[in-house]
Amino acid sequence: MRIGDQKGSVFVTTMVATLLMLLTGGYMYTMADQGLYNIKQLQYRAQAKYIADAGLADALGRLRTTWATSASYPSTTLAGGTYQASVTTISGRTKVTATATANGVTQVSTAEVVGPGLSALDYVFAAGGDASIDAGTGQSSGTINGDMYSGGDFTLDGPASGGTMTVTGDIQAAGNYTDSGGSSTTVNGTATPSFSTAVAFPTVDYSYYQTIAQTNGYYVNGNVTYASGAMPASPAGGVIYVNGDVTINGTQNTNACIVATGSITISKTGNTYAKVTITRPATTPESSFPAAMCQGNFTWSTTGNGDGYVNITGLIYTQGNFTVASANHETFTLTGSVVAAGNINLGPTAFSSVTAGYSAQTPPGFTVSNAQMQVESYNS
């Protein structure tokens, strides 16, 4: 082979090798650049997903505070991106959606939720058993503002003559519903027998209130009778705790939460009729306490022609029965609610007056199993 041919062969080989190196280098650069792009996209997707998850958590927190079946929350900036959350309900199913964007990448997080259920604390009168609400036997008047519930049968009655029983609110009975008052009863709401929706009754941590009473010197171990004026008017800490039964006579006026591990009974003594005003404590946080609570029965029972009254502001909670069987010419007034795990029997006699208006109660130490929204599932 001539020398010129050898030089030409080397030149061609060199050019081919150079071209191959350029092609390989370009490919490797392209692959590296694409890899960096893919890594960036993964980073942006992860960033957007974290922001969407945070937006979903924020929306769930808002819903737990204020339940709504439809809502749209404002756009929020977070960690280099933004999210916006909404709540929609279709065919009874409620979905929470949070949409997030970061560096042009969008991610979505969703959850299906169930709203808070019905609580006995939602009613002006709630009985775990039967309920009988009566204005009085004759020449009596009754006004009840708020919904009422019974876990058994519910009977509404009015005076036989000379008065009316008016209910503004719904009546829901798991058992039968009977309106035996005829023209003397008016229900401005819906009465529903065989009410199938579960209503949860609270469980109560009595030790919470016991500790407060013991700390402030208002704990009594054993049964106690408060004669006229003997009940503390405004105890420190707001709680009077009796490890036993409480009997209340005469004239009493107290701003306190009265707790009994037994029963609470209001009655006349001799010819002296009870004139009792119990108002939940006025100071914060004691203002969220109940007015009265007991593990036994709560009863106001008298006979004859009295001029007594029982005025309650706050929640009355009893694990037993709640009974008002007052005498003629007596008055029962409630601003708050009555929750009885047993039966409720509101039945004064003639020339009586019953007035009850619902006021929402959320006492500490009270737990209702379905009180909060529940998350059914998380989805992406």
Side-chain angles (χ1 to χ4, degrees):
M1 179 180 293
R2 292 178 298 179
I3 295 174
D5 292 340
Q6 291 177 341
K7 289 181 179 180
S9 178
V10 170
F11 175 76
V12 170
T13 302
T14 302
M15 293 299 293
V16 170
T18 301
L19 177 61
L20 289 173
M21 291 176 64
L22 288 172
L23 290 173
T24 302
Y27 174 77
M28 292 178 66
Y29 175 81
T30 301
M31 290 299 294
D33 186 59
Q34 182 66 39
L36 289 174
Y37 175 81
N38 290 337
I39 290 171
K40 283 290 186 182
Q41 289 300 301
L42 288 172
Q43 177 184 336
Y44 295 154
R45 281 198 291 271
Q47 180 183 4
K49 182 59 176 172
Y50 289 141
I51 295 172
D53 288 344
L56 180 63
D58 178 44
L60 293 175
R62 291 171 183 262
L63 271 184
R64 283 194 174 93
T65 301
T66 304
W67 170 252
T69 55
S70 177
S72 180
Y73 302 119
S75 178
T76 302
T77 300
L78 177 68
T82 61
Y83 70 80
Q84 186 162 23
S86 63
V87 182
T88 56
T89 299
I90 300 174
S91 301
R93 299 177 68 177
T94 300
K95 181 181 179 181
V96 185
T97 303
T99 302
T101 301
N103 296 292
V105 177
T106 298
Q107 292 283 284
V108 177
S109 294
T110 65
E112 185 173 339
V113 297
V114 176
L118 292 177
S119 163
L121 297 173
D122 297 334
Y123 298 87
V124 62
F125 289 104
D130 298 333
S132 177
I133 306 296
D134 188 355
T137 57
Q139 307 298 317
S140 300
S141 63
T143 301
I144 296 176
N145 292 313
D147 299 335
M148 295 187 285
Y149 170 81
S150 68
D153 296 334
F154 193 106
T155 302
L156 181 68
D157 199 1
S161 61
T164 59
M165 165 64 88
T166 301
V167 176
T168 301
D170 296 333
I171 299 174
Q172 297 159 344
N176 298 318
Y177 169 72
T178 303
D179 184 342
S180 58
S183 62
S184 69
T185 57
T186 300
V187 179
N188 297 318
T190 302
T192 306
S194 302
F195 186 69
S196 59
T197 303
V199 175
F201 279 70
T203 56
V204 179
D205 179 11
Y206 280 83
S207 65
Y208 174 88
Y209 295 92
Q210 179 180 341
T211 299
I212 294 172
Q214 288 176 324
T215 299
N216 292 280
Y218 289 94
Y219 174 84
V220 179
N221 189 21
N223 300 335
V224 62
T225 296
Y226 290 107
S228 187
M231 183 173 289
S234 185
V239 179
I240 301 169
Y241 193 103
V242 177
N243 185 26
D245 297 330
V246 174
T247 302
I248 303 172
N249 300 142
T251 300
Q252 309 281 359
N253 192 335
T254 183
N255 286 84
C257 168
I258 303 168
V259 183
T261 60
S263 296
I264 297 176
T265 302
I266 301 172
S267 62
K268 71 175 184 178
T269 176
N271 293 320
T272 301
Y273 287 82
K275 298 179 179 180
V276 176
T277 298
I278 302 173
T279 304
R280 64 184 181 187
T283 57
T284 303
E286 292 88 345
S287 59
S288 62
F289 291 175
M293 50 191 282
C294 58
Q295 296 182 24
N297 301 317
F298 186 104
T299 305
W300 177 29
S301 180
T302 57
T303 58
N305 293 304
D307 58 351
Y309 56 79
V310 171
N311 299 328
I312 305 289
T313 299
L315 167 69
I316 301 175
Y317 170 77
T318 169
Q319 290 179 223
N321 302 321
F322 175 85
T323 303
V324 171
S326 55
N328 300 332
H329 303 279
E330 296 201 309
T331 300
F332 175 74
T333 304
L334 169 70
T335 302
S337 61
V338 172
V339 174
N343 301 324
I344 291 179
N345 187 350
L346 183 61
T349 52
F351 299 94
S352 299
S353 174
V354 171
T355 303
Y358 176 72
S359 177
Q361 315 295 313
T362 54
F366 281 61
T367 303
V368 181
S369 60
N370 65 347
Q372 287 192 331
M373 173 205 79
Q374 301 295 322
V375 178
E376 289 283 280
S377 62
Y378 289 97
N379 311 288
S380 298

